[in-house]
């Protein structure tokens, strides 16, 4: 005897629509940086994937506003998360087609090591694209560069800097370096 297919119930309650709207906004941010997030949230990938850990954190901490007008507060979004000591005096400067990110080497402070690896990221809010590196330089190098695609000229980018230990075990909370226009 064959059973009848059960109807799919999806009442689309206001609560469901609110949550889906937050998820959609966060997903648009995270999809272009999936490979970065897999490294940046690896220490939180215990009972869930690194991507889902990032999704959960950002929905809870960086989405603001009221339904249906939610916005992502890029300054509150962590693209990497962990207990490794952050760099000091991190800064991003823009020049023709690239950004230079610099910091002060604070090796020896907390668990910071000269061999920790810098992970710069730039998210283009106009195009929903990103450029990043998960192995740009070491903490001792005190700077790293990201080159932008030519068609990004005039677009707005949100810039972040994360660090991971050389052995890949410890990750630092990302440092938000602000919103910048690509020149």
């Amino acid at each position: 005897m064959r059973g009848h297919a059960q109807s799919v119930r999806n009442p689309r309650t206001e609560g469901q629509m609110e949550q889906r709207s937050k998820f959609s906004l966060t997903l648009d941010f995270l999809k272009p940086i999936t490979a970065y997030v897999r490294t940046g949230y690896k220490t939180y990938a215990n009972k869930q994937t690194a991507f889902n850990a990032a999704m959960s954190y950002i929905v809870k901490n960086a989405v603001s506003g009221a339904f249906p007008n939610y916005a992502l507060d890029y300054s509150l979004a962590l693209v990497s998360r962990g207990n490794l000591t952050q760099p000091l005096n991190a800064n991003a400067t823009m020049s023709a087609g690239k950004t230079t990110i610099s910091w002060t080497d604070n090796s020896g402070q907390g668990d910071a090591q000269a061999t920790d690896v810098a992970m710069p990221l730039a998210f283009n809010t106009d195009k929903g694209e990103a450029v990043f590196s998960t192995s740009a330089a070491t903490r001792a190098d005190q700077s790293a560069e990201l080159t932008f695609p030519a068609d990004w000229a005039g677009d707005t980018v949100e810039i972040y800097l994360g660090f991971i230990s050389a052995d890949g075990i410890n990750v630092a909370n990302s440092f938000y370096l602000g919103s910048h226009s690509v020149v």
Side-chain angles (χ1 to χ4, degrees), residues 127-182:
K127 291 186 171 50
E129 300 172 352
V131 293
F132 59 83
S133 173
T134 55
S135 59
T138 65
R139 189 181 297 259
D141 291 334
Q142 299 187 71
S143 72
E145 286 185 355
L146 285 177
T147 302
F148 303 124
D151 68 340
W152 282 23
D155 289 352
T156 301
V157 292
E158 306 295 331
I159 300 178
Y160 299 88
L161 176 63
F163 274 87
I164 187 167
S165 59
D167 61 10
I169 294 174
N170 296 315
V171 179
N173 281 354
S174 59
F175 196 86
Y176 178 68
L177 299 171
S179 183
H180 300 269
S181 289
V182 177

Side-chain angles (χ1 to χ4, degrees), residues 26-157:
T26 305
L27 189 61
D28 289 344
F29 174 61
L30 289 176
K31 276 177 79 173
I33 62 171
T34 300
Y36 187 99
V37 167
R38 284 186 185 136
T39 301
Y41 272 79
K42 66 193 278 175
T43 58
Y44 286 87
N46 296 331
K47 295 182 181 179
Q48 60 185 336
T49 66
F51 187 88
N52 286 348
M55 186 84 152
S56 176
Y57 180 87
I58 292 171
V59 165
K60 288 177 188 169
N61 297 287
V63 176
S64 61
F67 180 74
N69 300 314
Y70 290 118
L72 188 62
D73 184 340
Y74 294 102
S75 68
L76 298 177
L78 291 180
V79 293
S80 68
R81 189 168 173 218
N83 295 321
L84 184 65
T85 302
Q86 289 181 314
L88 293 177
N89 306 316
N91 187 34
T93 55
M94 305 299 283
S95 57
K98 67 180 179 180
T99 183
T100 301
I101 300 169
S102 60
W103 59 88
T104 301
D105 180 7
N106 59 337
S107 298
Q109 180 184 30
D111 56 354
Q113 301 292 318
T115 56
D116 293 341
V117 179
M119 303 189 317
L121 179 143
F123 178 77
N124 184 322
T125 58
D126 297 319
K127 291 186 171 50
E129 300 172 352
V131 293
F132 59 83
S133 173
T134 55
S135 59
T138 65
R139 189 181 297 259
D141 291 334
Q142 299 187 71
S143 72
E145 286 185 355
L146 285 177
T147 302
F148 303 124
D151 68 340
W152 282 23
D155 289 352
T156 301
V157 292

